[in-house]
Amino acid sequence: MKIAISSDGSNLNAKVGDKFGTSQYLVIVDLESGEFEAVPNPGASGQRGAGMQAVVLAISKDIKTVLTGYCSPAAYNHLKANGIEVLTDLSGTVGEMVEKYKKGELEAEMRAGTGPKSRGIKVDKSALVQATGSSARQFIALLPMLLGVVLLIGLFNAFVSKQFLASIFSGNVALDTLWGACFGSILSGSPINSYVIGGELLKYGISLFAVTAFIITWVTVGLVQMPAEIAALGRRFALLRNGLSFILAIPIAIITVLILNLIGS
Amino acid sequence: MILFPAAMVVIYGVLFVVMPDKTSLALKSSGNIFLNMLMPLGLVFVLMIFLNLLLKPTQIARFLGKGAGIKGILLPAAAGIVSTGPIYVWYPLLKDLREKGAGNSPIGIFLYNRAVKPFLLPVMIAYFGWEYVVILTALTVLGSIALGYSLSNLMEGDNSL
């Protein structure tokens, strides 16, 4: 059975790290063999999603228990969902915590209410509150960009003439669809923005072929995220996936509109 | 992320001084667009809570490594559809799954199906009508299978990753 302890250093004398997601190392101890390894915490840089990277590491190393100073509610829930126990509010050296854990003292202290309490447990009591909270955060994160897009469309409506757009989108189905796919590939973000922009473009007389290709490539092709995709999944994969997604967007857009026309909408 | 909306506010501020009439028109137009979106946005929020209550990213990601044949298509497609949040949150999970042996096809299918977002459908329907949404959604899922198949064939024999 393996346990992971967030740590400031790479040995058993190092102090237990304050935060699971961003501590320098995760020291992984095999309780049966007594062997340990210190793995640099992928979330140590503290970027967004740091906690998630540490969670992924814990899952991939088949950890049964995590010992740490503090674990964010989101990381706590992901760990629990994957059957990993989390003990928090710990301080001292890694070695001391391992010994206490082996003797069952940490869990005994938690049960007696005299020792460390998992801050995550409070959150776990109300999954609905947790879900509402994370939904609110996701929703609020969407709003500034959406508001910006709506303001931009307002400017567009007031200042840009239909003649200008007509000069870009000629009315040629193949060419317009290609243009739509190109614009969608360059721009990115939540799909909701592509719906709003696409809906307004329709009012300008841009064909549904072009708007559909735009909506599809908005999500499926990501020139902006390409460096991140290359880093995670390799250059060949990223280039092929984005290239194929771009090509695929054109027939999907054309067939969608043709079917729609056939059923008479 | 805040840069773009902030830039918009600055542009509006400048334009109000230079061309107040046209800029009022632009602001009115934006206000109307936003008002029309309120109802669908409310639904979006409710659906978000529902999905967050039921699913966790790590549970979703586990679908990707499982199943062969038809399951190897449907599970990553379903995972892509129900996944939420920005794509960069998912890259570390996908990388990890790839290292654990998940194929190129399920990862490609997953990424393509992120275009189908059930919680955003109310907004899409408000703009384009439900028939359009149904057709586009079905074709996106079918397209993802074609993408997964092509990707898997084209990547075959590549050991440079």
Side-chain angles (χ1 to χ4, degrees):
Chain A
M1 174 180 155
K2 287 198 264 187
I3 64 171
I5 305 102
S6 66
S7 164
D8 292 342
S10 58
N11 56 58
L12 297 177
N13 294 322
K15 284 191 171 168
V16 172
D18 285 340
K19 289 180 184 165
F20 168 69
T22 56
S23 67
Q24 290 300 309
Y25 290 90
L26 289 182
V27 177
I28 295 166
V29 181
D30 187 324
L31 294 180
E32 276 93 34
S33 68
E35 287 175 0
F36 78 92
E37 65 167 324
V39 184
N41 189 344
S45 59
Q47 290 171 332
R48 262 188 94 175
M52 191 58 74
Q53 293 180 29
V55 170
V56 170
L57 178 66
I59 295 167
S60 66
K61 293 282 183 185
D62 203 21
I63 300 299
K64 293 286 174 265
T65 305
V66 164
L67 309 182
T68 184
Y70 171 73
C71 180
S72 72
Y76 175 89
N77 283 338
H78 292 313
L79 290 168
K80 292 293 276 186
N82 286 283
I84 300 172
E85 184 189 22
V86 186
L87 301 179
T88 59
D89 276 355
L90 302 177
S91 56
T93 68
V94 172
E96 286 167 6
M97 288 309 119
V98 173
E99 285 311 309
K100 276 192 160 188
Y101 181 78
K102 274 185 186 171
K103 292 175 189 163
E105 288 175 13
L106 293 179
E107 285 142 314
E109 282 175 9
M110 284 188 74
R111 272 196 297 275
T114 56
K117 293 180 184 66
S118 172
R119 286 175 229 185
I121 282 172
K122 284 180 210 158
V123 179
D124 201 35
K125 278 181 188 164
S126 174
L128 184 64
V129 172
Q130 166 75 12
T132 310
S134 55
S135 302
R137 278 194 298 278
Q138 282 174 350
F139 195 74
I140 289 166
L142 277 178
L143 283 182
M145 207 58 168
L146 186 62
L147 211 63
V149 167
V150 169
L151 286 171
L152 179 66
I153 293 170
L155 284 181
F156 214 75
N157 286 341
F159 288 92
V160 179
S161 68
K162 289 187 180 182
Q163 283 79 7
F164 172 74
L165 275 177
S167 67
I168 300 175
F169 290 92
S170 57
N172 177 316
V173 169
L175 212 59
D176 284 2
T177 312
L178 194 67
W179 269 119
C182 287
F183 283 130
S185 303
I186 299 164
L187 301 168
S188 89
S190 169
I192 195 170
N193 297 327
S194 71
Y195 306 156
V196 179
I197 296 172
E200 295 301 318
L201 285 175
L202 279 182
K203 291 181 192 162
Y204 274 83
I206 308 295
S207 76
L208 191 55
F209 292 104
V211 169
T212 308
F214 171 81
I215 290 172
I216 298 168
T217 53
W218 180 280
V219 177
T220 59
V221 183
L223 291 185
V224 179
Q225 303 103 312
M226 189 81 101
E229 186 169 344
I230 289 173
L233 300 166
R235 181 181 297 276
R236 189 179 155 96
F237 179 92
L239 291 175
L240 276 174
R241 192 196 70 75
N242 280 281
L244 286 170
S245 299
F246 181 87
I247 295 168
L248 205 56
I250 293 164
I252 290 180
I254 293 175
I255 297 170
T256 300
V257 181
L258 288 180
I259 294 176
L260 200 67
N261 290 341
L262 267 179
I263 61 171
S265 285
Chain B
M1 186 171 137
I2 202 78
L3 207 66
F4 174 65
M8 278 298 127
V9 173
V10 171
I11 290 172
Y12 265 82
V14 172
L15 285 175
F16 252 118
V17 178
V18 189
M19 291 180 267
D21 291 348
K22 269 203 155 182
T23 315
S24 304
L25 212 66
L27 200 62
K28 244 183 217 166
S29 165
S30 298
N32 283 335
I33 294 168
F34 201 74
L35 281 179
N36 287 333
M37 281 170 58
L38 280 182
M39 179 84 106
L41 277 179
L43 274 171
V44 164
F45 186 60
V46 172
L47 285 170
M48 266 183 172
I49 294 175
F50 190 64
L51 278 176
N52 278 323
L53 200 59
L54 293 179
L55 296 157
K56 303 276 176 272
T58 40
Q59 290 168 331
I60 297 168
R62 284 188 171 191
F63 285 158
L64 291 178
K66 288 178 185 168
I70 190 79
K71 269 191 179 175
I73 293 168
L74 293 181
L75 288 178
I81 290 169
V82 298
S83 71
T84 55
I87 183 63
Y88 58 80
V89 173
W90 289 92
Y91 284 138
L93 282 161
L94 294 177
K95 187 180 181 194
D96 185 62
L97 284 163
R98 157 74 75 71
E99 282 160 8
K100 281 182 180 166
N104 294 308
S105 167
I107 294 178
I109 292 175
F110 170 84
L111 288 172
Y112 206 83
N113 277 291
R114 282 179 48 84
V116 181
K117 284 283 132 290
F119 67 91
L120 292 178
L121 289 185
V123 176
M124 205 185 192
I125 291 169
Y127 273 104
F128 302 102
W130 66 267
E131 296 98 334
Y132 174 88
V133 173
V134 169
I135 297 166
L136 181 58
T137 304
L139 286 176
T140 303
V141 177
L142 286 175
S144 76
I145 299 169
L147 177 102
Y149 181 77
S150 316
L151 201 54
S152 153
N153 280 323
L154 289 168
M155 291 289 293
E156 215 166 87
D158 177 68
N159 298 316
S160 64
L161 295 166

